[in-house]
Amino acid sequence: MENENKTMEMNRLLTILSEGEDEMRRLSSHLNEQLRADAMNVQSRFSQAIAIVSSMEATGMNQMPSQGHTGASGSPGGSFSGSPSEGSERIVKKRKGIVKRTINVQGTVPDDGQPDTTLVPDDGFSWRKYGQKNILNAKYPRSYYRCTFQKNQNCEALKHVQRSDEDPTIFVVTYQGDHICTQHVGKTQSTEHQLLIPIQNESDEHVMINFNNSNIPIGTHESAHDDQSKILSPSFSISSTQAGLRSERYNVFSPSSTSFGGAFSSGGAFSSGFVSSGASDSNYFSVFQSQFGADFGGGSSFHGSESELNDVISLPHSSISAANDFTVEQPTFPFDSPELFK
DNA sequence: GAGATTTGACCTAG
DNA sequence: CTAGGTCAAATCTC
């Protein structure tokens, strides 16, 4: 029962993040070149969070990923900039009834001679590569990873990653098994750059999304004494590295929105307001909301019933939104700030 | 030297 | 029998 709630909330979170990522993608198309790079940076943060949540969910949510040992295997580089929204998510049960969870994520643009391992998105867990195989009728080989802590903690989580034939920047990531290892949540991040999202309304558990420029930690933490309302103002920063770019602060706010989902849904925050709040040391987007996860549409589980009925359940990204009674349409952005556009 | 990656060989489900 | 998945020795990196 508790797990069902968790799954539901995780799916909600995925929906929210996916939509946020979509909105940022749309938004970036309206921006000038300088700001577009920043917007894409934010978009990539959403995408990374999505991958992390997907990984957590796929591996049973037993553990939250850590930051800090992503080094070696599956996720070197930390240059992940993609999301499940690029394709579809599906649950596959093939051999021996083993349930696998597949998501599509967008990695970095492949460079000639650059190994796949440097392009594979970081999902926050620590993986060790144990094999690579050429797959029939596939352009690119499939890489096999297991949890780094398989040996010393008997963690059985596995994943394999394969680059899409159609779009080499898209990686199909399949997760299998549960993380039982204790990969600790990174503690090196300042909370001022973290997004804390309550996983369960009734509990004190949160997902923490860090929109810092370093690796993103995401994890649960106990906050029995925390006032939730104080941590429900997610923000993410855009820090331009371009010399000469005027530093400004932009706020995206939603006076009427009561959820993060609403804030990023079409007709939500972006249509409610998007303003420049003046100069600051860094370009800064903030999403204000009164309450995260209030209610954005039922929170149905696209996780389904773990494929008990079907061997393959294919779920295009759009259906994630559909499953939550969301309709993603072209937003109507009242971009009033002249600095935003060419 | 320890740990991670590579890669050919081997195993096994379908 | 075949293709996907794993093993393990060789190699690489820090």
Side-chain angles (χ1 to χ4, degrees), chain A residues 264-321:
Chain A
F264 279 101
S265 294
S266 301
F270 287 154
S271 60
S272 300
F274 191 96
V275 301
S276 168
S277 64
S280 70
D281 288 341
S282 63
N283 293 322
Y284 216 96
F285 282 86
S286 298
V287 178
F288 296 98
Q289 62 182 75
S290 58
Q291 184 179 3
F292 173 80
D295 185 10
F296 37 92
S300 63
S301 169
F302 60 80
H303 206 141
S305 56
E306 293 294 338
S307 271
E308 286 303 318
L309 301 176
N310 305 301
D311 280 354
V312 176
I313 301 172
S314 188
L315 292 159
H317 166 62
S318 57
S319 71
I320 295 175
S321 296

Side-chain angles (χ1 to χ4, degrees), chain A residues 16 20 23-24 27 42 46 194-195 211 231-237 249-255 257-265 268-270 273-274 284-292:
Chain A
I16 294 163
E23 296 296 345
M24 285 309 300
L27 174 60
V42 174
F46 274 107
Q194 292 170 338
L195 168 60
F211 286 154
I231 58 174
L232 294 174
S233 296
S235 66
F236 46 91
S237 64
R249 172 188 292 268
Y250 297 101
N251 294 330
V252 178
F253 68 96
S254 176
S257 173
T258 56
S259 75
F260 196 30
F264 279 101
S265 294
F270 287 154
F274 191 96
Y284 216 96
F285 282 86
S286 298
V287 178
F288 296 98
Q289 62 182 75
S290 58
Q291 184 179 3
F292 173 80

Side-chain angles (χ1 to χ4, degrees), chain A residues 56-67:
Chain A
M56 286 159 46
E57 195 177 38
T59 57
M61 295 181 291
N62 291 339
Q63 301 294 329
M64 302 299 275
S66 75
Q67 143 176 12

Side-chain angles (χ1 to χ4, degrees), chain A residues 4-209:
Chain A
E4 280 182 24
N5 284 339
K6 266 191 173 177
T7 300
M8 226 167 64
E9 295 297 338
M10 293 295 272
N11 291 334
R12 286 185 177 187
L13 178 58
L14 269 176
T15 301
I16 294 163
L17 292 171
S18 296
E19 295 197 349
E21 193 254 356
D22 281 347
E23 296 296 345
M24 285 309 300
R25 183 182 294 115
R26 290 197 188 93
L27 174 60
S28 66
S29 67
H30 294 279
L31 300 175
N32 62 36
E33 285 187 14
Q34 288 179 322
L35 289 173
R36 185 180 304 156
D38 291 338
M40 291 184 72
N41 185 26
V42 174
Q43 180 190 323
S44 77
R45 297 302 169 188
F46 274 107
S47 302
Q48 192 166 8
I50 288 165
I52 290 171
V53 173
S54 296
S55 170
M56 286 159 46
E57 195 177 38
T59 57
M61 295 181 291
N62 291 339
Q63 301 294 329
M64 302 299 275
S66 75
Q67 143 176 12
H69 11 51
T70 57
S73 32
S75 24
S79 54
F80 169 35
S81 65
S83 81
S85 65
E86 292 296 337
S88 63
E89 175 183 287
R90 58 181 169 176
I91 299 163
V92 178
K93 192 165 72 173
K94 215 173 180 181
R95 289 191 173 189
K96 279 190 170 180
I98 296 173
V99 175
K100 299 177 180 181
R101 196 114 188 278
T102 300
I103 61 171
N104 292 1
V105 297
Q106 185 170 24
T108 52
V109 179
D111 193 10
D112 284 346
Q114 190 176 13
D116 272 3
T117 52
T118 65
L119 306 169
V120 176
D122 179 358
D123 60 12
F125 284 99
S126 182
W127 302 96
R128 176 174 176 168
K129 189 174 183 177
Y130 66 88
Q132 180 170 304
K133 186 84 177 175
N134 287 321
I135 302 302
L136 195 70
N137 297 326
K139 278 185 190 174
Y140 305 98
R142 176 179 300 169
S143 296
Y144 298 86
Y145 301 88
R146 61 167 55 103
C147 179
T148 300
F149 306 103
Q150 186 203 39
K151 280 188 176 178
N152 54 9
Q153 295 186 38
N154 211 26
C155 182
E156 294 180 349
L158 298 174
K159 79 168 179 179
H160 60 249
V161 177
Q162 185 168 14
R163 197 187 290 184
S164 166
D165 286 348
E166 293 78 21
D167 185 349
T169 67
I170 301 293
F171 290 85
V172 179
V173 183
T174 301
Y175 294 95
Q176 174 188 332
D178 295 347
H179 276 285
I180 60 171
C181 58
T182 55
Q183 301 194 40
H184 306 291
V185 176
K187 294 178 179 178
T188 58
Q189 300 295 328
S190 159
T191 54
E192 95 181 71
H193 294 294
Q194 292 170 338
L195 168 60
L196 294 122
I197 301 169
I199 287 298
Q200 290 181 274
N201 292 337
E202 301 80 9
S203 77
D204 290 318
E205 194 171 25
H206 298 79
V207 165
M208 183 167 58
I209 300 173

